[in-house]
Amino acid sequence: MYKAKVFVTLKPSILDPQGNAVKKGLLSLGFNNVEDVRVGKYLEVTLEAADKEQAFKDIDEMCKKLLANPVIEDYSFELE
Amino acid sequence: MYKAKVFVTLKPSILDPQGNAVKKGLLSLGFNNVEDVRVGKYLEVTLEAADKEQAFKDIDEMCKKLLANPVIEDYSFELE
């Protein structure tokens, strides 16, 4: 059994209104030292696989097909 | 300038309908080896701070006050 931690972020060139809203929230709470906030997704996927290589391939395919939108998002993951 | 990677996850005892929906999506795409999916948030916060210790304290406070809901969510972060 493998557990993958998947990080999905907007590409740097894509505007992030949710991140801007969080930044404004932090500023209004008095955190005046905040420069930038970007919001992404974090997924933990538990899966069965014959070996780590297979798990890696499966997770990569899941990211491409469903978990991330490759047009506007980047993804990365760690397997353990 | 410090950059914090913040991970916010639902506590294990909290139901995760979004994770279940993603799991069903993966199963319907043929990924029959998926056991479980949990969905959380991933935030990148860039901030000014005098030193790493101060940045750590600030981020921890941001998590407690805005970024995570401590009643139903856990958080962790890495500073770089």
Side-chain angles (χ1 to χ4, degrees):
Chain A
M1 195 84 91
Y2 294 90
K3 186 171 168 185
K5 298 179 173 187
V6 181
F7 313 98
V8 181
T9 51
L10 287 170
K11 288 186 196 255
S13 60
I14 305 290
L15 289 175
D16 181 5
Q18 194 183 355
N20 287 340
V22 172
K23 182 185 170 189
K24 279 184 193 163
L26 289 171
L27 291 175
S28 76
L29 284 173
F31 295 105
N32 301 312
N33 53 347
V34 174
E35 294 286 330
D36 191 37
V37 179
R38 302 282 290 177
V39 177
K41 281 176 290 184
Y42 170 65
L43 297 104
E44 291 178 348
V45 180
T46 314
L47 75 164
E48 281 288 1
D51 52 37
K52 198 161 181 173
E53 201 182 336
Q54 187 59 48
F56 191 94
K57 275 176 65 179
D58 282 350
I59 292 287
D60 195 56
E61 214 179 321
M62 288 177 201
C63 288
K64 284 191 179 125
K65 286 194 177 168
L66 186 79
L67 305 181
N69 176 351
V71 178
I72 57 167
E73 292 173 329
D74 292 323
Y75 65 87
S76 63
F77 57 86
E78 293 165 7
L79 256 182
E80 59 189 40
Chain B
M1 194 85 91
Y2 294 90
K3 186 169 167 185
K5 298 179 174 187
V6 181
F7 313 99
V8 180
T9 51
L10 286 169
K11 288 186 195 253
S13 60
I14 305 290
L15 288 175
D16 181 5
Q18 194 183 357
N20 287 340
V22 172
K23 182 185 170 188
K24 280 184 194 164
L26 289 171
L27 291 174
S28 77
L29 284 173
F31 295 105
N32 300 312
N33 52 346
V34 174
E35 294 287 330
D36 191 36
V37 179
R38 302 283 286 179
V39 177
K41 279 175 290 184
Y42 170 66
L43 297 104
E44 290 178 348
V45 180
T46 313
L47 74 165
E48 281 288 1
D51 52 36
K52 198 160 181 172
E53 201 182 335
Q54 187 59 46
F56 190 94
K57 274 176 65 181
D58 282 350
I59 292 286
D60 195 56
E61 214 180 322
M62 289 177 202
C63 287
K64 284 190 180 123
K65 285 194 179 167
L66 185 79
L67 305 181
N69 175 350
V71 178
I72 58 166
E73 292 172 330
D74 292 324
Y75 66 87
S76 63
F77 57 87
E78 293 166 8
L79 257 183
E80 59 189 41

